[in-house]
Amino acid sequence: MQHLTIVDHPLIQHKLTLMRDRTSSTALFRALLREISQLLAYEITRDLPVTTTRIDTPIEPMDAPTLDGRKLALISILRAGNGMLDGMLELIPSARVGFVGLYRDEETLQPVEYYFKVPDLMDERVVIAVDPMLATGNSSAAAIDRLKAAGARDIRFLCLLASPEGVARMKEAHPDVPIVTAALDARLNEKGYIVPGLGDAGDRMFGTK
Ligand code: URA
Protein backbone atom coordinates (compact mmCIF):
# COMPACT_ATOMS: atom_id res chain seq x y z
CA MET A 1 0.00 0.00 0.00
CA GLN A 2 1.32 3.50 -0.75
CA HIS A 3 1.87 5.85 2.18
CA LEU A 4 -1.07 8.14 1.34
CA THR A 5 -4.22 7.12 -0.50
CA ILE A 6 -6.87 9.75 -1.24
CA VAL A 7 -10.19 8.13 -2.03
CA ASP A 8 -11.70 10.60 -4.46
CA HIS A 9 -14.83 8.62 -5.28
CA PRO A 10 -17.68 10.97 -6.28
CA LEU A 11 -20.04 9.59 -3.61
CA ILE A 12 -17.46 10.19 -0.90
CA GLN A 13 -16.67 13.68 -2.18
CA HIS A 14 -20.36 14.62 -2.31
CA LYS A 15 -21.00 13.38 1.22
CA LEU A 16 -17.86 15.12 2.46
CA THR A 17 -19.05 18.44 1.04
CA LEU A 18 -22.28 18.08 3.00
CA MET A 19 -20.24 17.37 6.13
CA ARG A 20 -18.07 20.43 5.62
CA ASP A 21 -21.11 22.71 5.27
CA ARG A 22 -21.53 24.51 8.58
CA THR A 23 -25.33 24.46 8.25
CA SER A 24 -25.48 20.64 8.26
CA SER A 25 -27.12 19.31 11.44
CA THR A 26 -25.47 17.09 14.04
CA ALA A 27 -27.67 14.17 12.96
CA LEU A 28 -26.76 14.59 9.30
CA PHE A 29 -23.06 14.98 10.13
CA ARG A 30 -23.10 11.74 12.12
CA ALA A 31 -24.99 9.82 9.45
CA LEU A 32 -22.62 10.98 6.72
CA LEU A 33 -19.55 10.11 8.77
CA ARG A 34 -20.95 6.64 9.24
CA GLU A 35 -21.57 6.24 5.50
CA ILE A 36 -18.17 7.60 4.43
CA SER A 37 -16.39 5.46 7.02
CA GLN A 38 -17.96 2.39 5.50
CA LEU A 39 -16.78 3.37 2.04
CA LEU A 40 -13.28 4.17 3.31
CA ALA A 41 -13.17 0.88 5.20
CA TYR A 42 -13.79 -0.88 1.91
CA GLU A 43 -10.71 0.84 0.48
CA ILE A 44 -8.36 0.30 3.44
CA THR A 45 -9.16 -3.43 3.56
CA ARG A 46 -8.58 -3.91 -0.17
CA ASP A 47 -5.37 -5.92 0.34
CA LEU A 48 -6.45 -8.10 3.28
CA PRO A 49 -5.04 -11.61 2.98
CA VAL A 50 -7.44 -14.24 1.71
CA THR A 51 -7.36 -17.99 1.68
CA THR A 52 -9.81 -20.49 0.23
CA THR A 53 -12.30 -22.82 1.78
CA ARG A 54 -14.02 -25.80 0.22
CA ILE A 55 -17.77 -25.27 -0.17
CA ASP A 56 -20.58 -26.78 -2.20
CA THR A 57 -22.54 -24.37 -4.34
CA PRO A 58 -25.91 -25.72 -5.57
CA ILE A 59 -24.09 -26.58 -8.80
CA GLU A 60 -20.73 -28.05 -7.75
CA PRO A 61 -17.96 -27.94 -5.12
CA MET A 62 -15.48 -25.07 -5.28
CA ASP A 63 -12.52 -23.59 -3.40
CA ALA A 64 -13.95 -20.17 -2.52
CA PRO A 65 -12.10 -17.13 -1.09
CA THR A 66 -12.45 -16.21 2.59
CA LEU A 67 -10.57 -13.79 4.80
CA ASP A 68 -7.42 -15.26 6.28
CA GLY A 69 -5.87 -14.72 9.71
CA ARG A 70 -7.11 -13.27 12.96
CA LYS A 71 -10.00 -10.86 13.29
CA LEU A 72 -9.12 -7.26 12.49
CA ALA A 73 -8.66 -4.73 15.29
CA LEU A 74 -10.33 -1.34 14.84
CA ILE A 75 -8.84 1.23 17.17
CA SER A 76 -10.78 4.41 17.82
CA ILE A 77 -8.73 7.43 18.77
CA LEU A 78 -11.13 9.08 21.20
CA ARG A 79 -13.40 10.75 21.02
CA ALA A 80 -13.99 11.58 17.37
CA GLY A 81 -12.79 8.16 16.21
CA ASN A 82 -15.96 6.66 17.68
CA GLY A 83 -17.96 8.32 14.92
CA MET A 84 -16.20 6.07 12.39
CA LEU A 85 -16.72 2.77 14.21
CA ASP A 86 -20.37 2.00 13.43
CA GLY A 87 -20.02 2.25 9.67
CA MET A 88 -16.88 0.14 9.72
CA LEU A 89 -18.41 -2.49 11.98
CA GLU A 90 -21.34 -2.85 9.62
CA LEU A 91 -18.84 -3.85 6.94
CA ILE A 92 -16.56 -5.89 9.25
CA PRO A 93 -18.88 -7.11 12.03
CA SER A 94 -16.38 -9.58 13.49
CA ALA A 95 -13.69 -6.96 14.06
CA ARG A 96 -12.37 -6.43 17.59
CA VAL A 97 -12.45 -2.87 18.89
CA GLY A 98 -10.02 -0.90 21.01
CA PHE A 99 -9.72 2.68 22.24
CA VAL A 100 -6.90 5.14 22.69
CA GLY A 101 -7.77 8.25 24.68
CA LEU A 102 -5.59 11.24 23.95
CA TYR A 103 -6.42 14.87 24.38
CA ARG A 104 -4.63 17.69 22.72
CA ASP A 105 -3.08 20.28 25.00
CA GLU A 106 -4.45 23.45 23.44
CA GLU A 107 -1.26 25.42 24.10
CA THR A 108 1.45 22.97 23.11
CA LEU A 109 -0.80 21.01 20.69
CA GLN A 110 0.90 17.90 22.16
CA PRO A 111 -1.09 14.73 23.00
CA VAL A 112 -1.73 13.60 26.59
CA GLU A 113 -2.92 9.99 27.13
CA TYR A 114 -5.84 9.25 29.48
CA TYR A 115 -7.16 5.84 28.30
CA PHE A 116 -5.82 2.76 26.55
CA LYS A 117 -7.66 -0.54 25.99
CA VAL A 118 -7.00 -2.79 22.99
CA PRO A 119 -7.73 -6.41 21.99
CA ASP A 120 -5.24 -9.20 22.76
CA LEU A 121 -2.79 -10.62 20.20
CA MET A 122 -2.26 -7.28 18.52
CA ASP A 123 0.85 -8.66 16.82
CA GLU A 124 -1.31 -11.13 14.87
CA ARG A 125 -3.99 -8.72 13.68
CA VAL A 126 -4.36 -6.16 10.96
CA VAL A 127 -4.89 -3.00 13.02
CA ILE A 128 -6.83 -0.03 11.65
CA ALA A 129 -6.55 3.13 13.74
CA VAL A 130 -9.33 5.63 13.06
CA ASP A 131 -9.61 9.35 13.67
CA PRO A 132 -11.59 11.63 11.33
CA MET A 133 -9.04 14.46 11.45
CA LEU A 134 -5.31 14.04 10.80
CA ALA A 135 -4.34 17.59 11.79
CA THR A 136 -0.91 18.17 13.39
CA GLY A 137 -0.37 14.42 13.40
CA ASN A 138 0.91 14.56 16.99
CA SER A 139 -2.00 12.61 18.51
CA SER A 140 -2.04 10.14 15.66
CA ALA A 141 1.71 9.51 15.88
CA ALA A 142 1.44 9.09 19.67
CA ALA A 143 -1.50 6.68 19.28
CA ILE A 144 0.49 4.60 16.80
CA ASP A 145 3.47 4.61 19.21
CA ARG A 146 1.19 3.07 21.86
CA LEU A 147 -0.23 0.50 19.45
CA LYS A 148 3.27 -0.55 18.44
CA ALA A 149 4.24 -0.80 22.13
CA ALA A 150 1.23 -3.11 22.55
CA GLY A 151 2.68 -5.35 19.84
CA ALA A 152 0.87 -4.19 16.69
CA ARG A 153 2.94 -4.63 13.54
CA ASP A 154 0.50 -4.28 10.63
CA ILE A 155 -1.09 -0.89 11.26
CA ARG A 156 -3.08 1.33 8.91
CA PHE A 157 -4.51 4.77 9.62
CA LEU A 158 -7.95 5.82 8.40
CA CYS A 159 -9.16 9.40 8.47
CA LEU A 160 -11.69 11.63 6.78
CA LEU A 161 -9.53 14.72 6.29
CA ALA A 162 -5.77 15.08 6.38
CA SER A 163 -3.48 18.12 6.40
CA PRO A 164 -0.11 18.17 4.61
CA GLU A 165 1.52 18.80 8.00
CA GLY A 166 -0.19 15.75 9.55
CA VAL A 167 0.76 13.50 6.66
CA ALA A 168 4.39 14.66 6.87
CA ARG A 169 4.48 14.13 10.64
CA MET A 170 3.11 10.59 10.27
CA LYS A 171 5.50 9.79 7.46
CA GLU A 172 8.41 10.89 9.60
CA ALA A 173 7.26 9.02 12.74
CA HIS A 174 5.66 5.96 11.12
CA PRO A 175 6.67 5.49 7.49
CA ASP A 176 5.38 1.90 7.70
CA VAL A 177 1.79 2.99 8.43
CA PRO A 178 -0.26 3.70 5.29
CA ILE A 179 -2.86 6.47 5.51
CA VAL A 180 -6.21 6.39 3.74
CA THR A 181 -8.24 9.60 3.65
CA ALA A 182 -11.15 11.14 1.76
CA ALA A 183 -9.30 14.45 1.20
CA LEU A 184 -6.00 16.22 1.70
CA ASP A 185 -6.77 19.83 2.64
CA ALA A 186 -4.61 22.91 2.20
CA ARG A 187 -3.03 23.54 5.59
CA LEU A 188 -3.45 24.01 9.34
CA ASN A 189 -4.38 27.31 10.93
CA GLU A 190 -2.62 28.79 13.97
CA LYS A 191 -4.91 26.80 16.31
CA GLY A 192 -4.10 23.49 14.63
CA TYR A 193 -7.41 23.23 12.77
CA ILE A 194 -7.52 21.90 9.24
CA VAL A 195 -8.27 24.56 6.58
CA PRO A 196 -10.79 24.60 4.95
CA GLY A 197 -11.70 21.52 7.01
CA LEU A 198 -15.02 21.04 8.72
CA GLY A 199 -14.40 22.47 12.18
CA ASP A 200 -14.14 20.32 15.29
CA ALA A 201 -15.26 16.85 14.25
CA GLY A 202 -16.05 15.77 17.83
CA ASP A 203 -18.17 18.84 18.51
CA ARG A 204 -20.00 18.50 15.23
CA MET A 205 -20.86 14.82 15.68
CA PHE A 206 -21.82 15.06 19.34
CA GLY A 207 -23.40 18.52 19.35
CA THR A 208 -20.97 19.96 21.90
CA LYS A 209 -19.06 23.21 21.74
N1 URA B 1 -9.49 18.23 15.15
C1 URA B 1 -10.68 18.56 14.60
O1 URA B 1 -11.73 18.08 15.01
N2 URA B 1 -10.68 19.45 13.57
C2 URA B 1 -9.56 19.98 13.06
O2 URA B 1 -9.64 20.76 12.12
C3 URA B 1 -8.33 19.61 13.65
C4 URA B 1 -8.32 18.74 14.69
Side-chain angles (χ1 to χ4, degrees), residues 80 104 131 133-136 161 188 191-195 197-203:
R104 189 165 64 152
D131 187 344
M133 310 300 274
L134 176 56
T136 62
L161 287 187
L188 294 180
K191 290 187 173 159
Y193 281 86
I194 296 177
V195 180
L198 48 71
D200 187 297
D203 282 346

